[in-house]
């Protein structure tokens, strides 16, 4: 026992013993009993307060836990409106655009709508929309795309534009270089390359020109005709792009002739012949390696220099009474050849005139 407490009890017992004339030890025992009673009462009061505080804390914790697990107000919310969004409110024909629906609810919340949305197009000839909200642009025009859920509708105006045509970036002509004979024709082929990488024939709306129509002429479709000898440049211009083709029309041999082409001789007379190449530009050129021959060397003979000599005539039949007695010449043909070309000259040979 605490010494100070024991001393206090002893003093109280002594005082009571003196006043009431009782035994000191007895008084001490009673004092100790009263002290224990007060101690028990105090302990019980403290425990009661602690139990009450613990109960209050438990109740508060239970209420807080109950608040956390209470049903969310969102379960009772309702859809109020739908807004339709897209990456763009227009597209070119052939393109596709994804539509998205966003819902606003009665509790003020907003969230994407992924399930239960029905999509519709006001004109399927202009654009269609599938169940996932993908719009396919078909023809130019303006339509309305509609999203519906729980009888709530949202709309978006959508425009389909005509697809822009790719631009022409270059032109090529085929063949790029060509040699033609005089009066020959050739169709040039024009192919254009476009900004989208594609290629296709062009020229129908372009402008065709020749820088030398006297050599090569061209029509509006690219048909080239050689009109003379020399060189010409054919140009096609379309949508700011240009292409050219080089045309060459060389001088060429088109025939071989003998000058003069027809001769009448009396026996013993001669004629110097000349062999000439005929060129495609209308000019002539001497055939310097010509080979000469005759169809009847009893009538006309010819050497390799082209000198023809009348050597005889065939026996003429006696004249018939009433017919002309004019002499009839004997015919022969002189031929010349070179480089695959052939020329001919005709001769008529008559007897010599008798001396006068």
């Amino acid at each position: 026992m605490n010494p100070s407490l024991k001393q206090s009890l002893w003093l109280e017992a002594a005082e009571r013993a003196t006043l009431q004339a009782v035994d000191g030890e007895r008084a001490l025992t009673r004092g100790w009993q009263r002290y224990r009673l007060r101690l028990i009462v105090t302990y019980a009061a403290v425990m009661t307060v602690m139990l009450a505080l613990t109960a209050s804390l438990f109740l508060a914790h239970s209420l807080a836990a109950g608040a956390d697990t209470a049903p969310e107000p969102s379960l009772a919310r309702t859809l109020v409106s739908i807004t339709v969004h897209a990456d763009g409110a227009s597209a070119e024909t052939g393109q596709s655009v994804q539509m998205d629906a966003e819902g606003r609810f009665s509790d003020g919340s907003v969230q994407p709508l992924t399930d239960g949305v029905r999509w519709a197009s006001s004109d399927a000839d202009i654009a269609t929309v599938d169940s996932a909200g993908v719009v396919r642009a078909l023809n130019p025009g303006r339509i309305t795309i509609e999203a519906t859920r729980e009888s709530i509708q949202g709309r978006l105006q959508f425009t389909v534009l005509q697809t822009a045509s790719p631009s022409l970036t270059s032109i090529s002509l085929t063949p790029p270089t060509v040699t033609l004979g005089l009066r020959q024709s050739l169709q040039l082929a024009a192919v254009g390359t476009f900004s989208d990488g594609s290629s296709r024939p062009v020229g129908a709306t372009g402008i065709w020109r020749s820088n030398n129509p006297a050599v090569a002429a061209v029509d509006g479709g690219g048909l080239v005709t050689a009109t003379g000898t020399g060189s010409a440049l054919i140009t096609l211009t379309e949508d700011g792009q240009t292409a050219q083709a080089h045309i060459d029309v060389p001088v060429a041999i088109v025939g071989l002739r003998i000058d003069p082409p027809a001769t009448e001789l009396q026996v013993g007379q001669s004629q110097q012949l000349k062999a000439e190449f005929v060129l495609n530009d209308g000019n002539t050129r001497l055939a310097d390696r010509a080979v000469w021959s005759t169809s009847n060397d009893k009538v006309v003979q010819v050497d390799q220099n082209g000198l023809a000599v009348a050597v005889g005539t065939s026996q003429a039949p006696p004249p018939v009474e009433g017919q002309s007695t004019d002499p009839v010449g004997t015919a022969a043909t002189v031929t010349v050849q070179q480089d695959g070309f052939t020329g001919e000259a005709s001769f008529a040979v008559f007897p010599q005139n008798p001396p006068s």
Side-chain angles (χ1 to χ4, degrees), residues 11-356:
L11 291 175
E12 182 179 353
E15 181 180 358
R16 289 181 178 275
T18 301
L19 295 175
Q20 299 179 12
V22 292
D23 183 72
E25 187 66 28
R26 184 177 173 183
L28 178 61
T29 299
R30 290 181 177 177
W32 171 246
Q33 290 175 345
R34 284 195 299 273
Y35 174 77
R36 288 181 62 189
L37 181 60
R38 286 199 300 270
L39 187 61
I40 291 171
V41 171
T42 302
Y43 178 77
V46 171
M47 290 301 295
T48 300
V49 172
M50 290 183 65
L51 288 173
L53 181 61
T54 300
S56 298
L57 291 174
F58 179 77
L59 179 60
H61 178 73
S62 298
L63 292 175
D68 291 340
T69 59
E72 294 184 359
S74 60
L75 294 178
R77 66 183 181 172
T78 57
L79 182 63
V80 175
S81 64
I82 296 176
T83 302
V84 178
H85 300 284
D87 292 338
S90 64
E92 294 181 350
T93 56
Q95 292 182 333
S96 297
V97 177
Q98 176 65 60
M99 297 285 168
D100 297 304
E102 183 180 72
R104 180 175 294 277
F105 292 85
S106 56
D107 61 357
S109 63
V110 176
Q111 70 179 47
L113 302 178
T114 57
D115 298 324
V117 178
R118 299 189 305 277
W119 295 94
S121 167
S122 62
D123 191 337
D125 290 333
I126 296 176
T128 60
V129 59
D130 63 16
S131 59
V134 177
V135 175
R136 175 75 172 176
L138 301 177
N139 295 293
R142 187 174 177 83
I143 61 169
T144 300
I145 299 298
E146 185 177 87
T148 303
R149 177 176 168 178
E150 299 175 4
S151 74
I152 304 299
Q153 295 177 338
R155 296 178 179 85
L156 177 68
Q157 296 296 316
F158 189 79
T159 303
V160 179
L161 306 173
Q162 180 64 50
T163 301
S165 299
S167 59
L168 183 64
T169 58
S170 66
I171 303 174
S172 62
L173 294 181
T174 305
T177 301
V178 63
T179 299
L180 294 178
L182 189 64
R183 290 178 292 279
Q184 282 187 329
S185 296
L186 174 72
Q187 178 64 56
L188 293 175
V191 176
T193 300
F194 293 82
S195 56
D196 61 355
S198 64
S199 298
R200 62 174 178 268
V202 295
T205 60
I207 299 175
W208 295 86
R209 290 191 179 93
S210 171
N211 71 336
N212 193 352
V215 172
V218 63
D219 67 8
L223 180 65
V224 178
T225 301
T227 55
T229 58
S231 297
L233 201 63
I234 304 300
T235 301
L236 169 63
T237 302
E238 184 169 339
D239 292 342
Q241 302 300 320
T242 300
Q244 294 180 326
H246 182 81
I247 308 298
D248 186 33
V249 185
V251 175
I253 298 172
V254 296
L256 181 63
R257 73 182 184 183
I258 297 175
D259 185 31
T263 303
E264 292 182 356
L265 296 176
Q266 292 181 0
V267 174
Q269 291 182 331
S270 64
Q271 174 68 51
Q272 179 63 56
L273 302 175
K274 181 171 63 175
E276 296 175 326
F277 284 117
V278 179
L279 305 180
N280 59 355
D281 61 359
N283 295 318
T284 60
R285 188 177 73 196
L286 183 64
D288 55 357
R289 294 179 289 105
V291 177
W292 297 89
S293 62
T294 178
S295 64
N296 189 345
D297 60 3
K298 302 297 184 182
V299 177
V300 176
Q301 294 179 353
V302 61
D303 66 13
Q304 292 308 305
N305 293 317
L307 180 62
V309 179
V311 295
T313 62
S314 60
Q315 184 66 36
V320 178
E321 184 178 355
Q323 289 184 348
S324 173
T325 58
D326 293 338
V328 177
T330 302
T333 300
V334 173
T335 302
V336 66
Q337 293 180 323
Q338 181 177 329
D339 299 336
F341 293 92
T342 300
E344 294 181 345
S346 62
F347 282 81
V349 178
F350 297 90
Q352 289 181 335
N353 290 327
S356 55

